[in-house]
Amino acid sequence: VFVRTVNRIFGTVIGALLATGVLAVLSSGLPLVVATALALGFVVLSAPKLYGFSVIGITTSALLSRSIGQVDPVAPIFRLQDTLIGAAIAIVFGYLLWPGARRYPAYAQLSGALESAHDYLNEAVKPAAQRRHWQSVRAEAYRLAHRARATAEAAVLEPPPVSSVAVRVIPIAIELEDTVDAITAVGSAVDAGSDSAELIPQVCHRL
């Protein structure tokens, strides 16, 4: 909530300023249609990169589209006012007062990912014919390991104490991903009939 709110505030402010500048130069009609289309194109290009960039394009295009038929120079002011009020509500109720908002996400704890990795190892050392849940166990181990890392990397942007915890979790999450890959190597060695005796102690040591 906190990081998204900050992106929303700065994106809206910049977008409103851009729209104000465009409205001060261009008249209504076709010129604003072109400017609005360019702003929407910026949304498409920037959306995968950063939420704040897409908010800039969304705000600019929304304000310009309101003035295609008739210029509304006051619209950016109301847009800023509404956004600041909404951001204040989000910070107070969604972050400051919301239970658990300032704690590291429970669903991203490493304990679940470690248990899943243990289950994966237990299946990997079995002969292929004895693996009852091989595909699902492997998929779950990778999913939880990747989620632990991705959540920790995203949480670094949050204010302390969440960011402090995330900094400590990231190296462990990366090691866990490598461990899951090592378990996959154990399973492949077992399938190929190779000697996996050297690999198993290494994996167990990591876990």
Side-chain angles (χ1 to χ4, degrees):
V1 172
F2 184 84
V3 174
R4 194 172 181 84
T5 301
V6 170
N7 277 273
R8 180 64 180 267
I9 293 173
F10 282 97
T12 302
V13 170
I14 295 173
L17 291 175
L18 289 174
T20 302
V22 172
L23 293 175
V25 176
L26 300 180
S27 59
S28 61
L30 185 59
L32 280 184
V33 173
V34 175
T36 303
L38 292 175
L40 286 173
F42 181 75
V43 175
V44 175
L45 293 175
S46 61
K49 303 184 186 326
L50 183 65
Y51 174 65
F53 288 157
S54 63
V55 173
I56 294 174
I58 292 171
T59 302
T60 304
S61 61
L63 294 175
L64 293 181
S65 64
R66 288 173 54 91
S67 300
I68 290 176
Q70 182 179 359
V71 175
D72 184 4
V74 184
I77 298 175
F78 287 118
R79 183 80 171 193
L80 283 175
Q81 176 181 310
D82 293 344
T83 297
L84 291 176
I85 293 174
I89 293 173
I91 291 175
V92 173
F93 293 98
Y95 181 72
L96 296 178
L97 300 181
W98 191 263
R102 294 182 301 281
R103 293 197 295 268
Y104 194 75
Y107 63 84
Q109 298 291 341
L110 289 171
S111 56
L114 286 171
E115 290 178 5
S116 182
H118 276 288
D119 294 339
Y120 185 32
L121 178 60
N122 290 335
E123 289 291 310
V125 297
K126 298 177 182 178
Q130 299 179 16
R131 297 171 184 165
R132 297 182 179 180
H133 309 288
W134 176 244
Q135 296 294 337
S136 60
V137 170
R138 178 173 60 182
E140 185 70 0
Y142 272 102
R143 185 183 70 84
L144 293 181
H146 293 328
R147 187 177 71 176
R149 178 178 179 178
T151 304
E153 290 175 343
V156 170
L157 300 176
E158 294 289 330
V162 174
S163 58
S164 302
V165 175
V167 169
R168 297 194 298 269
V169 168
I170 287 177
I172 303 174
I174 294 174
E175 179 69 18
L176 179 59
E177 285 184 322
D178 293 339
T179 301
V180 173
D181 288 336
I183 295 173
T184 301
V186 170
S188 299
V190 172
D191 293 341
S194 304
D195 185 10
S196 59
E198 295 182 0
L199 294 174
I200 295 176
Q202 296 176 9
V203 173
C204 292
H205 176 71
R206 286 183 172 185
L207 292 174

